[in-house]
């Protein structure tokens, strides 16, 4: 088939650049498909062995090849530098291997080799590299050491950080460790948000934690998008599709503080790429896009888990956490109707803002009386589906992502950080367990209240209708109660839902926030009394175990105040990473 | 093809319906058999929304699938084939094409043409600015040669 010389680098010359550009330009339009679709395939052995000269000879025993052998085959240069020890993670879009190389002086060094799926577009690959180069290597953001490419196979070399599995250590974390964890996560988020990077997939498996060394690393920019003023030039190319397709950004520009001071060398690194990207940007608005084929995937690919570096056991946990066993398979879209309306007017002009996109002849503007009512009809169902980025993991997606709000900002990462905090405070992981977006939204409403969720959604242009009114939970009571439960608890109790009358309105006033242990323990006693009263002593029994449990009996109210601000249903008011680090909860945190 | 005769249907409780407030897009909705409930009785560290399978008579069984997705999980999802035998379906951003089998696709002529094209210049531009800290290993020996990996 092809007679490529192994071990030979491909270094395309800068020739035909313009021609290439045009083609790329055309193709990049499809990049967003990944964000919308998220193909399903998780944990198969990596069959990423592209066609090559080995194929002929090896085809018989191909099945017997290990993933490591396949990787050596795909990118032969690796063999000159690394001994690959094993696969340490696998996600939809990449596999990660642990390898050992030698640095000057002969010292051994462990690295993580991230092998990207060969269907990744070069611009996406380059954008991921740019994120690592520009934002990485500092403030708990993973950096990059090197990168190998052979044809469509790209391997990113990163420092290896040995790390714990979140669910393994969740039970044994002290309160102080949990506080540190959050502080360091927010530090990483502050850093990437400063550069205008929306990570989109913040979750424990993408935040490596070495408990012993107290080291942290935010990883995986494979789904990252840029804010309108991102410093990562290539990110401007990818998400611009979504922006244009869906609507313009409404949110005030991200405040990035003082001027960015990238080292000169770093600027050099992405200079040429930037040039390319700018050219693309200038002409992309005239391009037409094809959208029709994405819809099916959108319907059935909600729950793809991306866990790459962080999952030692290859997504076993995360595929479980997709909760495929929802009581009933939800129907997000009406399939027969979709067939009627979607396919034909798949083309629309990109270059416009709100409202214009459906102007291409679909009956989008036909009105019906289903709005905000418990009905649907052939008219409203014949409208085109709104396209908004929704990559990531259902249980960590912010309400504006779940409801397909096109204007998504760095605030979506803050929500995800809030979900992690919720796990830490409640001792539950995963906290939300949903295989699809609307189930996740229903679960959020169960915690944050249906009225509150509906109210917030209005602020970002969404109407939510919920057949049931659900009161918001008091976060402190919720977490203490969930944490208080032990495995020995009598399961026969069955469903327990908080009595709405016992709930207090959110948010918890910041005035109550205090790190004082005295005050906290007073409150604890109070709570204990209360719950004893409420549950006839049953609750008391389990709560009383808390004092031995590593500071969890003295969780200050400021913790729940911060949690409330991270889980702000409205993205415009949700706390930023910068402000969260200044929150009273982190007073006296050792840095 | 457009909505000539209007067909209307009512959503069954409990449900959740999300709409664009300007009614420009198709509403999407979820009809559940029961609305989620915080379940405090599920042992830590499981999700308080972990699926409790209720059979018709309200008997419950907690499924803790933290580590092992059960087969029943998969049965519920027709698209899901056990990993080992699964072809990897997906979408190729390079070829702008869906595929049913990743392996077959990346070996296809179209994809191979892309793989060898100059499209990757944008990646190579970045790579060319890296310096490699790692030394080249001599073949078949663990000894280290003092040479930069990419020169
Ligand atoms: Zn392809």
């Amino acid at each position: 088939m092809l007679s490529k010389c192994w071990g030979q680098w491909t270094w395309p010359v800068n020739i035909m650049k313009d021609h290439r550009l045009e083609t790329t330009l055309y193709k990049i339009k499809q990049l967003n498909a990944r964000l919308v679709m998220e193909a399903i395939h998780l944990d198969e052995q990596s069959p990423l062995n592209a066609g090559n000269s080995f194929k002929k000879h090896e085809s018989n025993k191909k099945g017997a090849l290990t993933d490591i052998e396949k990787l050596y085959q795909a990118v032969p240069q690796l063999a000159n530098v690394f001994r690959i020890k094993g696969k340490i993670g696998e996600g939809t879009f990449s596999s990660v291997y642990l390898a050992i190389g030698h640095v000057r002086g002969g010292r051994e060094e462990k690295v993580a080799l991230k092998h990207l799926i060969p269907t990744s577009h070069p611009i996406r690959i380059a954008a991921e590299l740019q994120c690592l180069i520009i934002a990485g290597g500092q403030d708990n953001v993973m950096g990059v050491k090197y990168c190998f490419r052979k044809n469509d196979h790209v391997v990113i070399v990163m420092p290896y950080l040995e790390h714990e599995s979140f669910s393994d250590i969740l039970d044994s974390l002290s309160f102080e460790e949990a506080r540190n964890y959050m502080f360091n996560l927010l530090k990483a988020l502050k850093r990437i948000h400063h550069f205008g990077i929306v990570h989109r997939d913040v979750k424990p498996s993408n935040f490596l934690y070495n408990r012993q060394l107290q080291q942290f690393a935010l990883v995986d920019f494979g789904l990252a998008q840029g804010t309108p003023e991102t410093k990562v030039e290539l990110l401007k190319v990818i998400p611009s599709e979504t922006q244009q397709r869906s609507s313009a950004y409404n949110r005030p520009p991200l405040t990035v503080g003082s001027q960015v001071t990238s080292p000169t060398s770093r600027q050099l690194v992405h200079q040429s790429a930037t040039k390319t990207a700018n050219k693309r940007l200038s002409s992309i608005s005239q391009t037409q896009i094809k959208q029709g084929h994405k819809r099916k995937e959108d319907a059935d690919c909600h729950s793809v888990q991306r866990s790459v570096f962080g999952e030692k056991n290859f997504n076993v946990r995360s595929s479980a956490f997709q909760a495929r066993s929802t009581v009933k398979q939800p129907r997000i879209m009406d399939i027969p109707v979709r067939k009627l309306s979607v396919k034909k007017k798949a083309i629309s002009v990109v270059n416009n803002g709100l409202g214009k996109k459906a102007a291409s002849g679909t009956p989008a503007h036909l009105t019906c009386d289903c709005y905000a009512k418990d009905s649907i009809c052939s008219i409203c169902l014949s409208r085109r589906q709104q396209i908004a980025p929704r990559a990531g993991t259902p249980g960590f997606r912010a309400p504006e992502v779940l409801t397909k709000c096109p204007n998504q900002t760095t605030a979506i990462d803050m929500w995800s950080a809030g979900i992690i905090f919720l796990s830490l405070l409640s001792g539950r992981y995963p906290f939300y367990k949903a295989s699809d977006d609307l189930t996740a939204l229903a679960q959020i409403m169960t915690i944050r209240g249906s009225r509150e969720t509906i109210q917030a959604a209005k602020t970002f242009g969404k109407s939510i209708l919920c057949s049931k009114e659900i009161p918001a939970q008091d976060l402190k009571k919720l977490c203490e109660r969930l944490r208080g439960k032990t495995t020995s608890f009598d399961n026969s109790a069955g469903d327990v839902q908080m009595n709405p009358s016992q709930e207090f309105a959110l948010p918890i006033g910041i005035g109550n926030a205090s790190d004082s242990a005295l005050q906290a323990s007073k409150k604890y006693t109070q709570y204990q009394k209360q719950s004893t009263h409420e549950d006839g002593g049953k609750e008391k029994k389990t709560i009383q175990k808390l004092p031995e449990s590593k500071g969890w009996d003295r969780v200050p109210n400021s913790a729940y105040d911060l949690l409330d601000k991270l889980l702000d249903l409205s993205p415009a008011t949700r706390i930023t990473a910068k402000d969260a680090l200044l929150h009273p909860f982190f007073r006296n945190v050792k840095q | 093809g457009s909505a000539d005769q209007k067909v209307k249907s009512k959503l069954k409780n409990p449900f959740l319906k999300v709409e664009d407030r300007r009614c420009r897009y198709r509403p999407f909705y979820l009809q559940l058999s029961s609305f989620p409930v915080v379940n405090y009785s599920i042992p830590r560290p499981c999700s308080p929304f972990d699926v409790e399978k209720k059979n018709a008579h309200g008997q419950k069984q907690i499924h803790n699938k933290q580590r092992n997705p059960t087969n029943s999980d998969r049965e519920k999802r027709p698209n899901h084939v056990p990993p080992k035998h699964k072809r990897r379906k997906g979408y190729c951003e390079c070829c702008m094409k869906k595929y049913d089998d990743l392996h077959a696709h990346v070996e296809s002529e179209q994809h191979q043409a892309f793989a060898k094209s100059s499209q990757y210049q944008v990646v190579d531009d970045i790579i060319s600015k890296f310096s490699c800290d790692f030394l080249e290993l001599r073949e078949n020996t663990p000894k280290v040669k003092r040479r930069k990996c990419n020169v």
Side-chain angles (χ1 to χ4, degrees):
Chain A
M1 198 188 308
L2 15 123
S3 49
K4 260 275 140 138
C5 191
W6 287 101
Q8 187 194 326
W9 265 109
T10 336
W11 291 105
V13 196
N14 257 15
I15 203 162
M16 290 171 65
K17 201 161 189 174
D18 286 337
H19 167 73
R20 193 193 71 238
L21 241 160
E22 227 161 82
T23 325
T24 308
L25 210 143
Y26 178 63
K27 297 202 170 175
I28 192 152
K29 295 167 297 168
Q30 294 303 321
L31 275 177
N32 231 23
R34 173 186 280 185
L35 297 172
V36 181
M37 292 174 23
E38 306 164 39
I40 292 184
H41 40 56
L42 286 170
D43 38 12
E44 201 188 359
Q45 293 175 335
S46 167
L48 303 179
N49 179 25
N52 52 53
S53 57
F54 272 142
K55 198 190 152 208
K56 239 176 278 171
H57 316 286
E58 300 271 323
S59 58
N60 288 333
K61 53 176 200 172
K62 198 160 62 183
L65 282 179
T66 66
D67 293 343
I68 294 175
E69 288 166 330
K70 287 178 189 168
L71 179 56
Y72 278 132
Q73 269 196 18
V75 189
Q77 311 93 290
L78 289 172
N80 301 332
V81 186
F82 296 113
R83 289 201 313 276
I84 304 173
K85 296 306 214 181
K87 192 189 269 188
I88 55 171
E90 179 152 350
T92 308
F93 303 119
S94 63
S95 300
V96 179
Y97 298 80
L98 171 63
I100 293 178
H102 292 269
V103 289
R104 258 157 278 288
R107 190 169 51 84
E108 282 195 343
E109 197 172 303
K110 283 181 183 170
V111 294
L113 303 178
K114 179 174 178 176
H115 182 201
L116 306 177
I117 189 169
T119 54
S120 304
H121 197 279
I123 294 182
R124 181 183 299 286
I125 298 168
E128 180 169 357
L129 282 167
Q130 267 193 348
C131 286
L132 290 163
I133 291 165
I134 293 171
Q138 266 185 65
D139 292 344
N140 305 327
V141 181
M142 177 56 72
V144 54
K145 286 177 158 296
Y146 199 68
C147 184
F148 292 94
R149 178 176 91 82
K150 169 145 192 281
N151 297 342
D152 51 347
H153 290 275
V154 173
V155 173
I156 301 175
V157 184
M158 294 172 286
Y160 177 69
L161 176 60
E162 204 165 339
H163 51 277
E164 330 283 340
S165 135
F166 189 77
S167 57
D168 285 353
I169 58 163
L170 181 58
D171 247 347
S172 67
L173 284 180
S174 71
F175 168 69
E176 196 49 38
E177 284 175 299
R179 195 165 76 122
N180 259 318
Y181 183 100
M182 282 308 295
F183 186 83
N184 282 285
L185 172 60
L186 292 166
K187 210 159 126 180
L189 292 179
K190 181 187 170 188
R191 169 116 186 137
I192 64 163
H193 293 170
H194 173 80
F195 290 101
I197 301 168
V198 184
H199 186 283
R200 297 204 66 88
D201 202 16
V202 173
K203 59 181 178 183
S205 52
N206 281 334
F207 187 57
L208 310 186
Y209 174 39
N210 185 312
R211 194 177 183 179
Q212 204 159 25
L213 302 172
Q214 281 293 301
Q215 280 179 10
F216 303 85
L218 181 66
V219 299
D220 198 354
F221 293 95
L223 290 177
Q225 286 188 290
T227 64
E229 50 287 302
T230 182
K231 307 293 185 293
V232 184
E233 292 297 330
L234 286 170
L235 283 182
K236 287 182 178 167
V237 186
I238 296 170
S240 66
E241 284 310 297
T242 307
Q243 288 165 32
Q244 291 171 327
R245 213 182 268 173
S246 316
S247 81
Y249 267 68
N250 293 329
R251 206 174 185 238
L254 176 83
T255 331
V256 286
S258 58
Q259 236 235 309
V260 187
T261 47
S262 304
T264 318
S265 61
R266 287 190 169 176
Q267 281 166 355
L268 283 174
V269 168
H270 59 271
Q271 208 172 43
S272 54
T274 301
K275 244 184 280 164
T276 321
N278 285 342
K279 276 192 212 164
R280 262 180 217 114
L281 270 173
S282 60
S283 48
I284 200 160
S285 57
Q286 295 160 16
T287 324
Q288 300 221 310
I289 55 164
K290 200 178 134 206
Q291 298 179 322
H293 71 278
K294 296 192 192 84
R295 296 173 200 276
K296 181 160 181 296
E297 284 75 5
D298 199 30
D300 54 18
C301 301
H302 290 265
S303 50
V304 169
Q305 287 292 315
R306 290 183 38 83
S307 313
V308 175
F309 203 150
E311 294 293 332
K312 274 185 176 167
N313 29 9
F314 303 10
N315 276 349
V316 172
R317 187 177 319 115
S318 42
S319 44
F321 139 34
Q322 286 179 51
R324 286 177 178 136
S325 53
T326 33
V327 182
K328 186 188 167 194
Q329 276 301 318
R331 285 279 157 261
I332 301 275
M333 285 171 295
D334 186 46
I335 291 160
V337 180
R338 188 173 68 221
K339 273 185 196 154
L340 285 176
S341 59
V342 168
K343 282 278 155 69
K344 60 170 195 185
K345 296 299 174 190
I347 313 266
S348 77
V349 179
V350 173
N351 183 24
N352 56 23
L354 292 161
K356 285 186 191 168
K357 32 178 310 180
S360 51
T362 40
H365 288 294
L366 284 180
T367 50
C368 64
D369 54 2
C370 295
Y371 179 72
K373 293 207 187 79
D374 63 343
S375 63
I376 44 163
C377 75
S378 45
I379 293 177
C380 53
L381 290 177
S382 68
R383 296 187 198 123
R384 27 188 300 159
Q385 190 192 326
Q386 183 160 29
I387 296 180
R390 39 181 297 288
T393 306
F396 292 90
R397 285 182 189 144
E400 65 270 28
V401 181
L402 297 172
T403 57
K404 299 190 186 178
C405 170
N407 315 316
Q408 297 175 18
T409 66
T410 53
I412 68 167
D413 291 340
M414 300 310 294
W415 175 275
S416 305
I419 300 299
I420 297 178
F421 197 24
L422 183 57
S423 273
L424 289 167
L425 291 173
S426 66
R428 305 298 184 129
Y429 180 77
F431 190 89
Y432 291 121
K433 197 159 181 177
S435 58
D436 64 273
D437 284 350
L438 289 187
T439 300
L441 186 65
Q443 292 177 357
I444 288 172
M445 293 169 113
T446 306
I447 301 297
R448 302 299 273 154
S450 56
R451 261 189 310 123
E452 291 81 350
T453 308
I454 290 165
Q455 197 57 39
K458 280 185 192 163
T459 69
F460 51 83
K462 292 291 173 179
S463 153
I464 302 177
L465 191 64
C466 182
S467 59
K468 193 183 173 198
E469 182 163 335
I470 312 148
Q473 304 268 352
D474 178 280
L475 292 175
K476 181 182 164 100
K477 282 165 91 177
L478 173 82
C479 291
E480 286 180 345
R481 207 162 163 196
L482 285 170
R483 175 165 279 283
K485 288 279 178 269
T486 63
T487 43
S488 61
F489 185 78
D490 179 13
N491 281 333
S492 65
D495 285 5
V496 184
Q497 197 178 11
M498 277 208 176
N499 184 339
S501 66
Q502 293 163 9
E503 299 308 317
F504 303 114
L506 294 172
I508 303 161
I510 192 167
N512 293 339
S514 165
D515 290 347
S516 144
L518 182 70
Q519 193 177 335
S521 68
K522 237 189 260 169
K523 289 221 153 81
Y524 165 61
T525 316
Q526 232 173 359
Y527 173 67
Q528 197 180 25
K529 272 186 205 150
Q530 199 178 15
S531 50
T532 304
H533 176 68
E534 286 163 16
D535 295 277
K538 197 171 58 196
E539 189 78 8
K540 184 184 172 188
K541 211 167 132 196
T542 41
I543 293 273
Q544 272 177 338
K545 289 179 180 166
L546 283 179
E548 331 153 8
S549 60
K550 304 177 170 187
W552 289 104
D553 53 330
R554 295 188 306 274
V555 177
N557 285 334
S558 59
Y560 301 108
D561 181 72
L562 175 60
L563 179 61
D564 181 54
K565 292 179 158 74
L566 289 166
L567 298 182
D568 186 336
L569 295 158
S570 175
T573 49
R574 196 174 300 145
I575 196 167
T576 63
K578 199 177 164 193
D579 288 344
L581 287 167
L582 300 171
H583 190 276
F585 177 61
F586 294 119
R587 203 180 293 147
N588 306 323
V589 81
K590 50 179 170 77
Q591 296 192 33
Chain B
S2 64
D4 297 316
Q5 67 273 64
K6 191 170 149 187
V7 186
K8 196 163 177 169
S9 60
K10 218 169 148 76
L11 297 172
K12 286 194 196 81
N13 277 7
F15 69 85
L16 208 55
K17 183 186 174 193
V18 177
E19 294 165 280
D20 160 51
R21 275 163 54 87
R22 294 190 217 176
C23 299
R24 290 161 305 173
Y25 303 105
R26 185 187 313 145
F28 54 108
Y29 55 90
L30 170 73
Q31 298 177 90
L32 312 101
S33 59
S34 64
F35 214 83
V37 161
V38 179
N39 190 338
Y40 294 93
S41 69
I42 292 178
R44 253 169 72 192
C46 298
S47 167
F49 298 102
D50 207 343
V51 177
E52 274 193 311
K53 292 222 170 116
K54 300 180 190 183
N55 62 28
H57 305 289
Q59 269 185 303
K60 290 167 192 167
Q61 199 193 351
I62 293 175
H63 278 252
N64 179 1
K65 289 179 260 45
Q66 276 295 102
R67 307 217 167 241
N68 291 303
T70 60
N71 286 327
S72 63
D73 278 328
R74 294 191 181 115
E75 284 159 18
K76 292 227 164 187
R77 199 176 174 115
N79 282 346
H80 188 82
V81 188
K84 283 281 168 189
H85 317 285
K86 187 175 58 183
R87 294 177 303 171
R88 305 203 342 169
K89 295 208 288 185
Y91 177 79
C92 181
E93 297 176 325
C94 307
C95 307
M96 297 183 290
K97 211 180 202 181
K98 283 194 295 178
Y99 53 81
D100 291 327
D101 182 332
L102 173 68
H103 187 85
H105 174 75
V106 297
E107 287 188 13
S108 70
E109 219 170 286
Q110 183 186 4
H111 188 85
Q112 281 301 309
F114 187 95
K116 293 179 177 58
S117 73
S118 56
Q119 296 276 344
Y120 290 86
Q121 185 65 46
V122 65
V123 176
D124 294 335
D125 286 348
I126 293 175
I127 291 179
S128 66
K129 303 295 194 298
F130 281 117
S131 67
C132 183
D133 294 339
F134 295 95
L135 306 171
E136 217 168 277
L137 305 163
R138 188 182 279 144
E139 222 165 302
N140 297 328
T141 58
K143 272 186 98 181
V144 172
K145 219 164 59 169
R146 290 202 163 263
R147 186 147 73 84
K148 277 178 78 178
C149 40
N150 189 29
V151 183

